[in-house]
Amino acid sequence: MDERKKQILKAVVEDYVISAEPVGSKSLIERHNLGVSSATIRHEMADLEAEGYLEKPYTSAGRIPSDKGYRSYVDELLEVGELPRTQAIAMRTMFKDSLVELTDLIRQATAVLSAQNDYVSLALTPKYANSRLRQVKLLMIEPGKVLVVVVLAAGLVKDRLVRISDQISGEQLDRLGKAIEEGLAGKKLSDITLVTVAGTVSGQPLADGLLNQVIYEAYVSIKQAEHLDLYVEGTHRLLAQPEYRDVDKAHRFMRALGEEKTIAGYIADLPAADDLACGRYLVRIGQEITLDGFEDTSFITSTYCVNGEVYGQIGVIGPRRMDYGRIISQIRFINRQLHEATSDAPHISKDNHEA
Amino acid sequence: MDERKKQILKAVVEDYVISAEPVGSKSLIERHNLGVSSATIRHEMADLEAEGYLEKPYTSAGRIPSDKGYRSYVDELLEVGELPRTQAIAMRTMFKDSLVELTDLIRQATAVLSAQNDYVSLALTPKYANSRLRQVKLLMIEPGKVLVVVVLAAGLVKDRLVRISDQISGEQLDRLGKAIEEGLAGKKLSDITLVTVAGTVSGQPLADGLLNQVIYEAYVSIKQAEHLDLYVEGTHRLLAQPEYRDVDKAHRFMRALGEEKTIAGYIADLPAADDLACGRYLVRIGQEITLDGFEDTSFITSTYCVNGEVYGQIGVIGPRRMDYGRIISQIRFINRQLHEATSDAPHISKDNHEA
DNA sequence: AATTAGCACTCATTGCTGCCGAGTGCTAAC
DNA sequence: GTTAGCACTCGGCAGCAATGAGTGCTAATT
């Protein structure tokens, strides 16, 4: 693809992102000074279409970028700039880094991101499967009710309230908690099984039935610490996008967005999730997304890191016709904010099992 | 209003609920055998309009019920029946009463309710201002990070992770927690102030600065136990309603639905919230709702009670043209499910401060 | 006095028409 | 290789008539 074709593709994408209307040869030369006439542009655009970078909605309309066109734009033509000052200030203002809890901070980052651009934004809490267990506490709340607190080395605290026979006393629970903690502290979450939990309390003087209850609940609580939470913000903003003037289309998409488990699973498995380089971003366009209902949207996700060691994904979902450059710099910015907020005054990673 | 007028009003409301189209005299006698001609109906409808029960969108259209018409329908004409068997079975199937935590149970009830009818459903966690404090625990997670656990007599457990100077040891924290608990247990949440908290630890041998940190965090944690959580489910379903074929209207409404704090406040202050009779329901129609953006919707809310003592609100929001009878029996049903699920095997009321 | 049949009238909706304009591809000239 | 010119395409919009479901009113009927 020669230089001029690139310029034209870039111009088409950028105009289409703004107008949401197919862009024609004449309007192209009006907005960009390409130094050639519209007829030349027409030739070039016909070529670009033949090569699959552009599409025509109908015979005599202008062109819109195809998935391949967007891909090429994102990979080769887009130079991501710094965030404009006014936007940076706006975002910083919304971003209160006084929040103590990591969950709140991430959630807020998601909200800020979504508020800045009429797209949906979302964040996924870190994967903790490789994290190590640090503490387990069993706290008697009242006879029969026990709060299980699990603390990971990464700083995450999750807790869970369970019912356990009231024949177990507070002291016994305390002792059992200590035994489990002692036996499992330092182990990777993924290495902990029902059997290893059972092993830690085998010597305890307690009826098997009661012991099993405790083992089971402790195990489930530990396992739940791995659980991924997805925060989705700004779904309603999509309705401001021209592509969703069609209510049925909007409805289908919103329903798909409601499948949080599916989305969380998909995002967690994206290649970027394993690549631990902080701030790396990944763009998925249209058909590249193998997720029902997302065929004509785009994802931009990025790995964030907090406290210098745990990683999650934060990103934006919108129509394919998205302002990629703008979003990417916003995501970078919020990522940096997240990093700063957690590094100068280490934030606390607390979470819980609510989905 | 004579008997025939009532019948006609009822018929108009019911037809309109089904069709979402203004209903005319002729189509009325087709669907209901009222024993009179369309001309008579026309006379009666003109009267009903003059009295404010019906409205005409434009001169030569059929009639639609006004707020007053709906009100009259709900208060006088509607007989709420039992839920049809198939629906009851469907709902029971979706409702897993194996859930241990109250929060999950309520959230699930909301989801089930919404899934049964294309409206938005929502639930508000109980008000705890009158509840009494039972336990306060300060748990050292790591130096500088403390988990504050607050337990109310009603069974609610809330916890919160805070940063507190690492100069305080685990034992000191434990002792402070015990002192606070001892001093405040049995007190109503609304009676606890920063001063009363401070009073409980006044004798402790600790630097003022450190002590103040603990007092402040404990106080905030206790206060946060009062915090109301709102669960909203099924916003996207609204897009299936003909009234929201208009994307802008849908957008405005969804934006309004995003103001969870405002909605929570409004619902918590509804008269039914104070009237502690379980299962009582309240219908708010159109302009009766003094909440921005909800002028042409209706609320049906109901007080639920769990464990026989704590109360919250569960309800449905939809277009005014709502199947009131159906929704009310659904809400009753889910309310009963909620009650049963928590009474035969007392459920645990755990909650936390995430908004 | 209440009911009803009949009728003229209203008005949103639908389908049709023709026009406009922004777009195209092609050809021939530069 | 570029461009001017031109015929052609096609969605969008304005205008218009026909349709039909509705109304209110009047006069006849019970």
Side-chain angles (χ1 to χ4, degrees):
Chain A
M1 192 155 53
D2 64 23
E3 197 49 43
R4 195 170 63 189
K5 280 212 176 62
K6 284 186 183 175
Q7 256 187 55
I8 292 173
L9 177 56
K10 184 156 183 264
V12 170
V13 171
E14 283 168 5
D15 278 15
Y16 184 59
V17 162
I18 294 171
S19 70
E21 302 279 309
V23 353
S25 52
K26 207 158 160 200
S27 69
L28 252 199
I29 52 167
E30 272 168 25
R31 244 191 296 273
H32 308 74
N33 51 346
L34 297 161
V36 288
S37 78
S38 66
T40 311
I41 303 286
R42 276 203 290 286
H43 271 127
E44 297 284 49
M45 294 205 336
D47 287 357
L48 283 168
E49 187 184 349
E51 293 163 39
Y53 293 101
L54 296 179
E55 289 172 353
K56 257 191 308 195
Y58 50 90
T59 325
S60 72
R63 303 301 207 297
I64 61 174
S66 66
D67 282 0
K68 187 176 171 188
Y70 281 121
R71 169 54 59 200
S72 169
Y73 173 76
V74 168
D75 288 347
E76 296 160 40
L77 309 173
L78 174 67
E79 63 264 356
V80 179
E82 271 307 294
L83 206 57
R85 274 194 65 75
T86 52
Q87 251 184 75
I89 291 168
M91 287 179 80
R92 213 191 311 267
T93 312
M94 289 179 70
F95 197 86
K96 298 187 284 282
D97 54 7
S98 63
L99 290 177
V100 177
E101 292 200 15
L102 184 59
T103 313
D104 292 335
L105 207 62
I106 294 171
R107 196 178 284 220
Q108 182 189 242
T110 319
V112 170
L113 202 50
S114 164
Q116 285 302 310
N117 51 56
D118 285 338
Y119 308 126
V120 175
S121 70
L122 79 193
L124 198 60
T125 51
K127 273 190 181 177
Y128 289 107
N130 286 320
S131 203
R132 291 169 192 284
L133 188 68
R134 191 196 287 155
Q135 292 185 16
V136 176
K137 298 244 179 288
L138 303 182
L139 230 69
M140 168 98 97
I141 295 305
E142 66 181 67
K145 294 184 190 174
V146 175
L147 187 71
V148 185
V149 180
V150 174
V151 183
L152 303 190
L156 179 87
V157 180
K158 279 207 184 186
D159 45 49
R160 177 165 168 266
L161 200 55
V162 299
R163 241 179 289 150
I164 282 186
S165 164
D166 58 5
Q167 291 170 44
I168 308 186
S169 71
E171 291 79 47
Q172 282 172 316
L173 280 169
D174 196 45
R175 207 167 50 240
L176 288 169
K178 288 217 170 78
I180 295 172
E181 180 174 316
E182 200 169 314
L184 299 180
K187 278 213 171 22
K188 281 214 271 180
L189 241 47
S190 51
D191 292 340
I192 297 176
T193 65
L194 205 46
V195 176
T196 51
V197 177
T200 61
V201 293
S202 59
Q204 299 287 329
L206 203 61
D208 270 7
L210 298 179
L211 208 50
N212 278 339
Q213 276 186 41
V214 174
I215 293 167
Y216 177 74
E217 296 297 355
Y219 170 73
V220 171
S221 302
I222 293 170
K223 277 300 160 190
Q224 287 211 351
E226 281 190 39
H227 179 86
L228 297 173
D229 283 327
L230 182 73
Y231 306 121
V232 180
E233 283 288 339
T235 36
H236 71 83
R237 283 182 226 276
L238 275 178
L239 296 179
Q241 299 292 344
E243 11 274 294
Y244 297 104
R245 299 307 305 177
D246 176 358
V247 179
D248 293 320
K249 206 174 161 192
H251 190 182
R252 275 194 301 279
F253 186 45
M254 292 216 166
R255 200 183 311 134
L257 271 175
E259 304 284 329
E260 303 206 346
K261 289 223 176 70
T262 319
I263 300 174
Y266 180 75
I267 292 178
D269 285 342
L270 286 176
D274 290 324
D275 178 348
L276 292 182
C278 249
R280 278 289 295 276
Y281 63 87
L282 180 76
V283 180
R284 282 270 139 134
I285 298 159
Q287 304 282 347
E288 297 172 4
I289 305 172
T290 54
L291 198 56
D292 252 25
F294 291 84
E295 296 79 7
D296 40 39
T297 62
S298 284
F299 279 36
I300 305 179
T301 54
S302 167
T303 305
Y304 65 80
C305 81
V306 289
N307 292 335
E309 56 162 327
V310 284
Y311 301 82
Q313 300 283 116
I314 188 163
V316 166
I317 302 180
R320 264 178 310 188
R321 180 192 62 78
M322 218 197 243
D323 192 337
Y324 293 92
R326 178 189 159 107
I327 303 296
I328 291 171
S329 41
Q330 283 181 2
I331 290 185
R332 275 195 185 163
F333 183 82
I334 207 89
N335 227 326
R336 209 153 48 228
Q337 292 291 110
L338 221 41
H339 179 75
E340 280 171 22
T342 56
S343 60
D344 53 67
H347 271 246
I348 298 178
S349 166
K350 159 161 181 322
D351 217 312
N352 62 62
H353 54 283
E354 303 208 2
Chain B
M1 190 156 49
D2 64 24
E3 197 49 42
R4 195 170 62 188
K5 281 212 175 60
K6 286 185 183 175
Q7 256 187 54
I8 292 173
L9 177 55
K10 185 156 182 264
V12 170
V13 171
E14 285 168 5
D15 278 15
Y16 185 59
V17 162
I18 294 170
S19 71
E21 302 279 307
V23 357
S25 52
K26 209 158 160 201
S27 70
L28 251 199
I29 51 167
E30 272 168 25
R31 245 190 296 272
H32 308 73
N33 50 345
L34 296 161
V36 289
S37 78
S38 69
T40 309
I41 303 285
R42 276 204 289 285
H43 271 128
E44 297 284 49
M45 297 209 330
D47 286 357
L48 283 168
E49 187 184 348
E51 292 162 39
Y53 293 101
L54 295 179
E55 289 173 351
K56 259 191 306 196
Y58 50 90
T59 325
S60 72
R63 303 300 206 297
I64 61 174
S66 66
D67 281 2
K68 188 176 170 189
Y70 281 121
R71 170 54 59 201
S72 170
Y73 172 76
V74 168
D75 289 347
E76 296 161 40
L77 308 173
L78 174 65
E79 64 264 357
V80 179
E82 273 306 298
L83 205 58
R85 275 193 66 75
T86 52
Q87 251 184 76
I89 292 170
M91 287 179 79
R92 213 191 310 268
T93 311
M94 289 178 70
F95 197 86
K96 297 186 285 281
D97 54 7
S98 63
L99 290 176
V100 177
E101 291 201 13
L102 185 58
T103 313
D104 293 335
L105 208 61
I106 294 171
R107 194 178 284 221
Q108 183 188 241
T110 319
V112 171
L113 202 50
S114 165
Q116 285 303 309
N117 50 58
D118 285 337
Y119 307 127
V120 175
S121 71
L122 78 196
L124 198 60
T125 51
K127 272 189 179 177
Y128 290 107
N130 286 320
S131 202
R132 291 170 193 283
L133 189 68
R134 192 197 286 156
Q135 292 185 15
V136 175
K137 298 245 177 287
L138 302 182
L139 229 69
M140 169 99 95
I141 295 304
E142 66 182 69
K145 293 184 189 175
V146 175
L147 187 71
V148 185
V149 181
V150 174
V151 183
L152 303 190
L156 179 87
V157 181
K158 279 206 185 189
D159 45 50
R160 179 167 167 265
L161 200 55
V162 300
R163 239 179 290 148
I164 283 186
S165 162
D166 57 7
Q167 290 171 43
I168 307 185
S169 71
E171 291 77 49
Q172 283 173 315
L173 280 170
D174 195 45
R175 207 167 50 241
L176 289 168
K178 288 217 170 77
I180 295 172
E181 180 173 314
E182 200 168 314
L184 299 179
K187 281 216 171 16
K188 279 214 272 182
L189 240 48
S190 53
D191 292 340
I192 295 175
T193 66
L194 205 46
V195 177
T196 50
V197 177
T200 61
V201 292
S202 60
Q204 298 287 329
L206 204 61
D208 272 7
L210 298 180
L211 209 49
N212 279 338
Q213 276 186 39
V214 174
I215 292 167
Y216 176 74
E217 296 297 355
Y219 169 73
V220 171
S221 302
I222 292 168
K223 278 298 160 191
Q224 287 211 352
E226 281 188 40
H227 180 85
L228 297 173
D229 282 326
L230 183 73
Y231 306 122
V232 180
E233 284 289 338
T235 37
H236 70 84
R237 284 181 225 276
L238 275 178
L239 295 179
Q241 299 292 344
E243 12 274 294
Y244 296 104
R245 297 309 306 178
D246 177 358
V247 179
D248 293 321
K249 206 175 161 192
H251 191 182
R252 276 195 300 281
F253 186 44
M254 292 216 166
R255 201 183 310 132
L257 271 175
E259 304 285 327
E260 302 206 346
K261 289 226 175 69
T262 319
I263 300 173
Y266 179 76
I267 291 178
D269 286 343
L270 286 177
D274 291 324
D275 178 348
L276 292 184
C278 251
R280 279 287 296 274
Y281 64 85
L282 179 76
V283 179
R284 282 272 140 132
I285 297 159
Q287 304 281 348
E288 298 171 3
I289 305 171
T290 54
L291 197 57
D292 253 25
F294 291 83
E295 298 79 7
D296 40 37
T297 62
S298 284
F299 278 38
I300 305 179
T301 53
S302 168
T303 305
Y304 66 79
C305 82
V306 287
N307 293 336
E309 56 163 327
V310 287
Y311 301 83
Q313 300 283 116
I314 187 163
V316 166
I317 302 180
R320 263 179 310 191
R321 180 192 63 78
M322 217 196 245
D323 192 337
Y324 293 92
R326 177 190 160 106
I327 303 295
I328 292 171
S329 39
Q330 282 180 2
I331 290 187
R332 274 195 185 163
F333 182 82
I334 207 88
N335 227 325
R336 212 155 46 229
Q337 293 289 108
L338 221 40
H339 179 75
E340 280 171 22
T342 56
S343 61
D344 52 65
H347 271 248
I348 297 177
S349 167
K350 157 159 185 318
D351 216 311
N352 63 59
H353 54 280
E354 303 209 4

